[in-house]
Amino acid sequence: MSAHATAADRARGRIERWEPQRLVLILACIGSFSVVLDATIVSVTLPDLRADLGFSPAALPWAVNAYTLAFAGCLLFGGRCADVFGRRRIMLVGMGIFTVARVAVGLADAPAFLLAARAAQGVGGALLMPVTLSMLTTTFVERSARARALAMWSAVGAAGAASGPVIGGLLTQLAGWRWVFFVLAPLGVVGIIGAFLTLPQHVSGSTRSRLDIVGALLATAGITGVVLAIMRSAAVGWTDRTVLGSLLGGFALIGIFAIHQTRWAADPILPFGIFRIRSVSSANAVMFLFGTGFLASPVLLSLYLQDVQGYSPLLAGVGYLPVGAAMIAGSRSAGWLTVRLGARTATMSSCVIGAVGLLCTAACIALDASYLWTVLFSGAILGYGTAAAFTPLTVAATDGVPPGRSGLAAGVLNTVRQTSGAVGLAALSTIALSAGYAASFATSALCLAAATLAATITMPRHPRPAPNAAR
């Protein structure tokens, strides 16, 4: 009898320990899905926005860019806020801003109002994305459990990216573009209620840190300037005065930011000691190469289907679904791969698969092959491999980081990811226009080959925390 009671107590204890973790995982996935979905869902609404609100051709792309720019510029700030003010508070604030701004976009009656609301969405997303990752890395302490949780988080993000154009196309066609934003607002309400009920109230870390306001402003302005220049370069070229001015100004501000962090800041927003953890520095370096090669490929593949194959935006979104399904499968299997192979080997293997898929896509486009080979076969390979790489890279980039710096590590990784995506989209779009889509995908494959080499050389086999990582 006592043996049965003891076994029951042990089982009950496991359930009690798992349920809070499961709730945190669900909450993190809601935040990730919302942020990623809204980065892609608006793309198919652009023709209706132009007709309904009177967007000029030059202003229309900013319905996408305003969100992306604000998101990329504020990620480092958002990650540090999670460490300073606590994950619960920042989750509530971020989800609140994001949800209110989402509704405001749907109510917009003029281009300026819509762009301002989209920028506010980007700020809310920049608060949300790092805190969802920080929640997982601090809740799932054991390495294999963390890998599985991050795999689920990545899979949900991949589902958001893949379903965005399809959901947006269906809602726009059936109910109008405004319902693209209205229908998904209840998801934000669920996230707010979940954060209020699930997350602890205390601030992370043993002592309350101060937020380096000057550093936050310098970092946000510098990153925004660089990303803006990269985004503009695809349309007007690198020699344009506004591009050069934004690029030089952004780098100058980043330089001042680095000096401020090392010499003047009492509690820096980015303590460079975190890069003394080899797994953190190497994973971010690999992420930059990987993101440069892969993150533009969904956009390029969609443009190829529309520009070359003559697909409608909605049909292109539906045609991309097999790639999205492969990405979800790759993300789901990434946790198991990371646990069995380790972050370094899992990253290398996934990058190799992704590079093969990109090369196959380039070859099929060059041969003018059918959809079956170009997207269904080659796209599925690249989708599986590239999506599987995110989990081991995330595990490595957050491994050995003190809990009080988990938001910072998440903010750094997401900033590198977004910046590399902007660099890749600008460079690969230019190649696609000048040399064709086949050359662009071949260049993407080279970037993933470089990421594989960098992972082989720089990532540790068994990551360990470095001393004095906090400063």
Side-chain angles (χ1 to χ4, degrees):
M1 188 73 174
S2 59
H4 287 295
T6 303
D9 290 340
R10 286 199 299 267
R12 191 180 302 111
R14 284 195 296 270
I15 294 172
E16 290 174 353
R17 287 194 300 272
W18 169 237
E19 286 302 328
Q21 289 185 333
R22 179 174 291 179
L23 291 173
V24 169
L25 177 58
I26 292 172
L27 186 59
C29 287
I30 288 175
S32 173
F33 182 82
S34 299
V35 172
V36 176
L37 181 73
D38 271 59
T40 60
I41 197 172
V42 75
S43 59
V44 295
T45 69
L46 295 181
D48 291 72
L49 290 180
R50 180 175 55 202
D52 194 14
L53 299 183
F55 270 91
S56 67
L60 186 61
W62 284 97
V64 177
N65 294 346
Y67 178 90
T68 304
L69 192 62
F71 180 61
C74 295
L75 274 168
L76 189 60
F77 170 75
R80 186 64 181 129
C81 282
D83 293 333
V84 174
F85 299 113
R87 299 176 190 91
R88 180 177 187 265
R89 185 175 299 170
I90 296 305
M91 184 71 182
L92 288 169
V93 171
M95 187 65 83
I97 293 173
F98 193 86
T99 303
V100 171
R102 176 184 269 167
V103 174
V105 173
L107 295 173
D109 58 357
F113 186 89
L114 185 140
L115 295 181
R118 285 290 287 169
Q121 264 195 294
V123 174
L127 293 172
L128 268 179
M129 201 64 170
V131 79
T132 61
L133 180 53
S134 176
M135 285 159 48
L136 296 182
T137 57
T138 53
T139 300
F140 295 88
V141 180
E142 199 269 322
R143 190 167 291 174
S144 61
R146 177 184 295 184
R148 288 190 292 270
L150 290 175
M152 177 62 73
W153 180 79
S154 298
V156 170
S163 62
V166 180
I167 295 174
L170 288 174
L171 288 174
T172 301
Q173 188 167 318
L174 296 176
W177 67 267
R178 296 181 187 276
W179 286 96
V180 170
F181 303 96
F182 291 153
V183 165
L184 296 172
L187 189 63
V189 177
V190 172
I192 292 171
I193 295 173
F196 184 80
L197 296 177
T198 302
L199 300 179
Q201 296 188 35
H202 62 80
V203 177
S204 62
S206 57
T207 60
R208 181 185 290 272
S209 302
R210 292 178 297 172
L211 183 63
D212 177 17
I213 299 296
V214 174
L217 292 174
L218 288 171
T220 299
I223 294 169
T224 300
V226 171
V227 174
L228 175 61
I230 294 168
M231 292 167 61
R232 289 271 301 159
S233 68
V236 299
W238 286 102
T239 58
D240 182 82
R241 291 182 179 180
T242 59
V243 171
L244 289 175
S246 180
L247 187 68
L248 294 175
F251 277 126
L253 288 171
I254 290 174
I256 297 171
F257 166 74
I259 296 172
H260 173 74
Q261 297 300 282
T262 55
R263 295 189 178 183
W264 304 326
D267 196 356
I269 193 172
L270 179 58
F272 287 99
I274 196 172
F275 296 112
R276 288 197 289 268
I277 304 177
R278 184 182 169 189
S279 62
V280 173
S281 56
S282 60
N284 278 282
V286 174
M287 176 62 82
F288 185 84
L289 293 169
F290 172 80
T292 300
F294 161 66
L295 292 175
S297 62
V299 176
L300 294 174
L301 196 56
S302 177
L303 290 174
Y304 166 76
L305 290 174
Q306 295 179 66
D307 295 343
V308 178
Q309 299 297 328
Y311 285 32
S312 67
L314 179 57
L315 188 58
V318 174
Y320 187 77
L321 280 179
V323 183
M327 291 175 64
I328 295 171
S331 298
R332 290 289 291 130
S333 64
W336 179 85
L337 289 172
T338 304
V339 172
R340 294 295 299 268
L341 303 178
R344 175 177 175 268
T345 304
T347 298
M348 292 161 50
S349 304
S350 301
C351 286
V352 168
I353 296 172
V356 170
L358 288 165
L359 277 177
C360 289
T361 304
C364 290
I365 290 175
L367 295 172
D368 196 22
S370 65
Y371 169 87
L372 176 66
W373 292 103
T374 305
V375 180
L376 198 61
F377 175 72
S378 301
I381 296 174
L382 80 87
Y384 181 90
T386 49
F390 281 111
T391 294
L393 281 173
T394 304
V395 168
T398 56
D399 195 74
V401 177
R405 299 294 186 187
S406 60
L408 169 65
V412 169
L413 180 66
N414 279 289
T415 300
V416 170
R417 178 174 171 173
Q418 288 297 313
T419 305
S420 67
V423 171
L425 184 58
L428 296 170
S429 296
T430 302
I431 294 172
L433 289 173
S434 59
Y437 286 103
S440 182
F441 278 98
T443 305
S444 297
L446 289 176
C447 290
L448 261 69
T452 305
L453 181 61
T456 304
I457 296 173
T458 64
M459 291 182 70
R461 293 180 182 273
H462 304 289
R464 291 185 177 87
N468 302 320
R471 180 73 183 175

